[in-house]
Structure formats: C-alpha cells, structure tokens
C-alpha cells in the first residue's frame, strides 16, 4: 500500500513543520486533503528556494563586478530596475549598463591591466514577501579598488535592495548602495559623511529571523490537479538539494577555518582520497599526501604565536548537480597573512572554483582550483606592490604542471 504523504515527508527540513494543511483549505470539499497538503508544501519550498536564489543573485553581481563585466551586471536587473549610488539614480537595464561601463570601465568591458575591483559581501539578511514574488535584502559590502601603478582605495557601505520575480527569474529591482566609509589605501578610510546616519532597515523587529513569513491560511491552492505522489517526489529532491547546499557550504567554511589555524590533518581530511588541489601559478597536487605537501608550503602544522594566516571564504556560489552526489562552487578567498616576529604582512585575493562529491552520505572536496588575483605587501598596498606567489621548494614540488 502506498505510504501516506505525511509518512514520506523528509525529517531533515524545517519546511515540514509549516506545510500542514490549514483548516480553511480542508473545508473545500472538492479538493482532496492530500493534494492540498502537497500544494502547501510546494509553496513553502518555492519560497525557501527564493531566499537562496536572491542571495545567489547578489553574489553573482559581486563576482561580475570583480572582473568588470558591466553588461553582465546590468543583465541581472529587472527591465525597469534602478541603481541608486548615494545621490545618483539610474533607471532601466540599458541605462545601468551604459552607466557602469562609462563610470567604472572607462567605456570598456573588463578591467585594465593590474586593475582591482573586488566587492566582498557580508551579513546577508533577506526577507521574501508572503506571496513569494518580491524580496528585500540588506548586505554589508567591503570593496578593494584601484590599479597597480595607479591608485588604491578602500570603500565600504550597506546595500538595502529590492528584488522581483520577473518571468520566473529573480532580478534586481532596486540596488540602493549607502556609502559609509571610503579613502585611499595610504591614509586609510574615513566616514563618507561627518554626520553618519543609520541606514533604515527594511524589516521590523518582529520580522527578525523570519526570512519567509508564515503562509496565510487564505493562500489559494495553486495546483490541486497534478498527482500528489509525483509532486511530493519532486519536492523531496528539491528539499534534499537545499540541505546538500548547506552541507557543502559548511564544508567550504570548515576548510577556511582549518586553513586559518594551519590544521593540515583536518584540511586534508576534507578531501577525497583522490582529491586534487590545483594552484594556477604553482601546479597540481594529487591525493591527500600531495595536498598535505601543498599546504606545508605555508609552514608546518600549527599556528605560531604572532602569526596570522586568515583566509576568508566569501561570495560563495554553490550549485548542486541533478544527480545529487556532485556539487560545484565559485567564490573569493581574501587572505590576511603575516608574522609579528619578522614584521611581514600581506593581503591576498584568489578565486576558487571547486567540485565536491558525496561519498557514503558525506560531502568531500574532490577538486579545488585556486586562481590568485592579488598578493601585495600590506605596508605598500596594491597600487605599489604586486608580489608573485612564492615558488615551491624542492620538498613541496607539485605532482604535475597546471594544464595549459
């Protein structure tokens, strides 16, 4: 006998608690209780996915900005989207593309040689509307701007953005950037305004911690015709994909934490036995033994007193493959490195592009590819200092060269 809908709902997701059918929906005699219950769950799953897609949208915007892809950034806006930067307002996708290309790219796509335009995003706070068709978000942004041989600047501020569902795709409805601090690298940043005001919040205190409001009891049934069992199978896969995304994100964050503390045994345990670490300007290290050898380029295991080895994993985009056992990610690694003993200090930026596999129910890193963007002496900054990645010693040679 086929299992009931309730018995088949996955235990791992909090969505199940809010998917119970409302009394008002049960009161509709022409709809089966099973069909309505599944429809409620489908609406909850869609709204939970929307929170993630809005975050994906904003992170994609930042990743395009890092390489000066102005047209691609503009394509993320709704047709009548708006860009608000301080006192400037630009409306419409085409106008935004022209503005970004002219003011940020000097009339060209991409960055000039030695250019730097990295936006690091922190503390996302997303709220999706009850109908699931609009959303609002608050982000803190920290930017590193300039060009080697030119200038270097810091900038930081708060985004209070609006997002809309346009033709089934989430788009930037309104990007409103509130500049808070800025300044040249040499002298440091200062408040943009002497009278620094609080940027208004898009949510109330009662909405804190509730990215999606409870589904109203009056919400209509959107699909009571499709086979509930088939819909439920699809919903279970979508819920599993969201849980897998969380696990992969935790895996990547664990890598960052272990790397910070030079916990080499723990870092290598995150990789598969046949894992690969590829560093674009160094080479390819294969297997856990090879990966351990690559890590020891940064010194022996254990963080010494006075040593800084932070590698922040930021702007991370994760995609779970349809097979449910593979995933891919792209993100930015911001490094703050130094040693008080010899007075050395460096800032680094790299893009990571990773592949993960699930083995015996556990996600592990199968391939990690690092593409260094910047390494600069902290005391000079990226306008004056462009340091190459230190070459490996004979003891830390890669297993093979990076493919052309």
């Amino acid at each position: 006998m086929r299992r009931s809908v309730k018995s088949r709902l996955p235990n791992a997701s909090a969505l199940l608690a809010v998917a119970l059918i409302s009394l008002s929906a049960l009161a509709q005699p022409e709809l089966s209780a099973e069909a309505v219950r599944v429809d409620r769950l489908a609406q909850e799953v869609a709204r939970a996915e929307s929170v993630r897609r809005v975050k994906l949208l904003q992170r994609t915007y930042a990743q395009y900005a890092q390489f000066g892809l102005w047209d691609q950034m503009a394509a993320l806006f709704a047709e009548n989207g708006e860009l608000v930067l301080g006192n400037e307002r630009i409306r419409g996708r085409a106008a935004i593309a022209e503005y970004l290309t002219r003011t940020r790219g000097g009339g060209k796509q991409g960055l000039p040689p030695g250019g730097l335009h990295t936006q690091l995003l922190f503390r996302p706070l997303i709220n999706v509307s009850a109908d699931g068709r609009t959303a609002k978000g608050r982000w803190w942004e920290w930017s590193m701007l300039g060009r080697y041989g030119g200038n270097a600047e810091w900038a930081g501020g708060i985004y209070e953005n609006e997002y809309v569902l346009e033709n089934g795709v989430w788009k930037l409805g309104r990007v409103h950037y509130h500049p808070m601090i800025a300044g040249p690298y040499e002298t440091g940043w200062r408040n943009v305004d002497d009278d620094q005001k609080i940027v208004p919040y898009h949510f109330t205190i009662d909405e804190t911690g509730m990215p999606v409001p409870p589904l109203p009891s009056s919400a209509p049934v959107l699909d009571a015709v499709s086979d509930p069992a088939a819909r439920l199978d699809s919903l279970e896969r979508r819920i599993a994909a969201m849980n897998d995304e969380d696990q992969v994100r935790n895996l990547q964050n664990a890598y960052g934490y272990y790397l910070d503390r030079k916990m080499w045994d723990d870092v290598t345990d995150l990789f598969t036995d046949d894992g690969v670490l590829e560093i674009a300007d160094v080479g390819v290290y294969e297997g856990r033994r090879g990966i351990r050898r690559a890590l020891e380029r940064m010194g022996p295991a254990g963080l010494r007193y006075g040593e800084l080895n932070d590698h922040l994993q930021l702007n991370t985009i994760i995609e779970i493959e349809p097979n449910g056992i593979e995933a891919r990610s792209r993100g930015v690694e911001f490094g703050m490195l130094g040693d008080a003993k010899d007075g050395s200090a460096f800032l680094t930026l790299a893009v990571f592009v990773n592949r993960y596999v699930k083995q015996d129910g556990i996600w592990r890193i199968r391939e990690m590819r690092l593409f260094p963007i910047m390494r600069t002496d902290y005391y000079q900054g990226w306008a004056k200092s462009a340091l190459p990645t230190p070459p490996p010693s004979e003891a830390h040679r890669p297993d093979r060269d990076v493919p052309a």
Side-chain angles (χ1 to χ4, degrees), residues 174-404:
R174 187 168 187 256
V175 171
H176 191 171
Y177 179 67
H178 300 262
M180 306 294 286
I181 56 177
Y185 188 92
E186 291 81 358
T187 57
W189 56 83
R190 64 181 299 276
N191 288 350
V192 172
D193 296 318
D194 292 334
D195 182 17
Q196 194 73 276
K197 296 180 175 60
I198 295 176
V199 177
Y201 295 87
H202 69 261
F203 55 90
T204 67
I205 192 165
D206 293 332
E207 295 169 324
T208 304
M210 295 180 62
V212 180
L215 193 66
S217 60
S218 59
V221 174
L222 301 181
D223 183 356
V225 178
S226 301
D227 176 37
R231 289 191 79 191
L232 189 59
D233 284 337
S234 174
L235 292 172
E236 287 176 335
R237 290 192 293 271
R238 288 162 62 185
I239 291 171
M242 287 191 283
N243 290 334
D244 284 332
E245 180 188 342
D246 290 341
Q247 292 173 27
V248 171
R249 192 175 299 278
N250 285 344
L251 171 61
Q252 187 63 41
N253 289 338
Y255 164 83
Y257 278 108
Y258 294 156
L259 191 68
D260 292 349
R261 309 299 296 182
K262 292 191 172 182
M263 299 167 65
W264 301 150
D265 288 342
D266 300 88
V267 174
T268 53
D269 283 347
L270 300 179
F271 285 78
T272 60
D273 290 339
D274 59 348
V276 174
L277 173 59
E278 177 181 312
I279 306 171
D281 53 356
V282 176
V284 180
Y285 295 85
E286 299 177 320
R288 289 182 174 174
R289 180 175 295 181
I291 293 168
R292 175 63 182 262
R293 189 169 69 253
L295 295 170
E296 289 179 346
R297 293 170 51 246
M298 293 180 273
L303 200 64
R304 303 190 310 273
Y305 178 79
E307 189 176 23
L308 182 67
N309 194 55
D310 284 358
H311 295 78
L312 282 68
Q313 312 294 299
L314 301 166
N315 299 2
T316 306
I317 292 173
I318 293 172
E319 179 182 0
I320 305 298
E321 298 291 345
N323 61 19
I325 59 172
E326 293 185 70
R328 299 180 186 276
S329 75
R330 179 188 174 96
V332 177
E333 182 178 277
F334 174 41
M336 295 180 288
L337 319 174
D339 194 332
K341 186 176 180 180
D342 60 16
S344 62
F346 307 94
L347 297 176
T348 66
L349 282 170
V351 171
F352 61 83
V353 179
N354 297 350
R355 173 173 170 249
Y356 314 83
V357 296
K358 184 189 284 187
Q359 297 180 337
D360 299 323
I362 299 175
W363 284 100
R364 296 190 185 278
I365 303 169
R366 173 59 180 82
E367 300 164 13
M368 175 173 288
R369 291 180 167 83
L370 296 174
F371 300 87
I373 301 298
M374 179 201 74
R375 179 183 174 86
T376 186
D377 181 271
Y378 170 79
Y379 300 102
Q380 298 184 62
W382 51 88
K384 299 179 180 179
S385 169
L387 303 174
T389 301
S393 66
E394 182 63 27
H396 303 118
R397 286 182 59 193
D399 294 297
R400 55 187 172 90
D401 293 335
V402 174

Side-chain angles (χ1 to χ4, degrees), residues 5 9 13-28 31-49 130-131 212-226 228 231-232 235 238-239 242:
V5 169
L9 299 183
S13 176
L15 292 169
L16 307 178
V18 295
L20 298 177
I21 183 172
S22 67
L23 293 177
S24 63
L26 276 174
Q28 304 177 56
L31 302 178
S32 72
E34 185 178 29
V36 176
R37 183 180 294 114
V38 173
D39 188 78
R40 286 287 189 267
L41 177 58
Q43 293 187 54
E44 295 290 2
V45 170
R47 298 191 312 158
E49 289 173 331
D131 64 7
V212 180
L215 193 66
S217 60
S218 59
V221 174
L222 301 181
D223 183 356
V225 178
S226 301
R231 289 191 79 191
L232 189 59
L235 292 172
R238 288 162 62 185
I239 291 171
M242 287 191 283

Side-chain angles (χ1 to χ4, degrees), residues 57-194:
L57 176 61
Q58 191 71 45
R59 290 170 178 141
T60 302
Y61 182 83
Q63 291 211 20
Y64 286 164
Q66 185 176 24
F67 292 97
L69 303 177
W70 318 119
D71 285 349
Q72 285 91 326
M73 291 171 67
L76 300 177
F77 282 81
E79 186 64 35
N80 294 316
E82 186 178 34
L83 176 62
V84 183
L85 302 173
N87 296 322
E88 295 186 272
R89 292 176 180 269
I90 306 93
R91 180 179 290 276
R93 188 182 297 157
I96 292 170
E98 187 280 331
Y99 174 85
L100 291 174
T101 303
R102 173 171 48 84
T103 62
R104 301 292 188 267
K108 299 179 181 179
Q109 297 296 307
L111 300 178
L116 189 67
H117 194 273
T118 297
Q119 298 179 350
L120 304 176
L121 300 177
F122 300 90
R123 301 199 295 268
L125 201 160
I126 307 300
N127 294 88
V128 174
S129 63
D131 64 7
R133 301 198 60 80
T134 62
K136 295 182 178 180
R138 187 182 184 95
W139 303 75
W140 174 260
E141 182 225 33
W142 185 252
S143 292
M144 305 167 69
L145 312 170
R147 182 175 62 86
Y148 176 62
N151 64 322
E153 297 180 357
W154 300 106
I158 293 174
Y159 281 111
E160 267 290 346
N161 293 349
E162 298 176 9
Y163 310 86
V164 296
L165 198 58
E166 187 175 81
N167 299 321
V169 178
W170 280 102
K171 294 287 186 176
L172 298 165
R174 187 168 187 256
V175 171
H176 191 171
Y177 179 67
H178 300 262
M180 306 294 286
I181 56 177
Y185 188 92
E186 291 81 358
T187 57
W189 56 83
R190 64 181 299 276
N191 288 350
V192 172
D193 296 318
D194 292 334

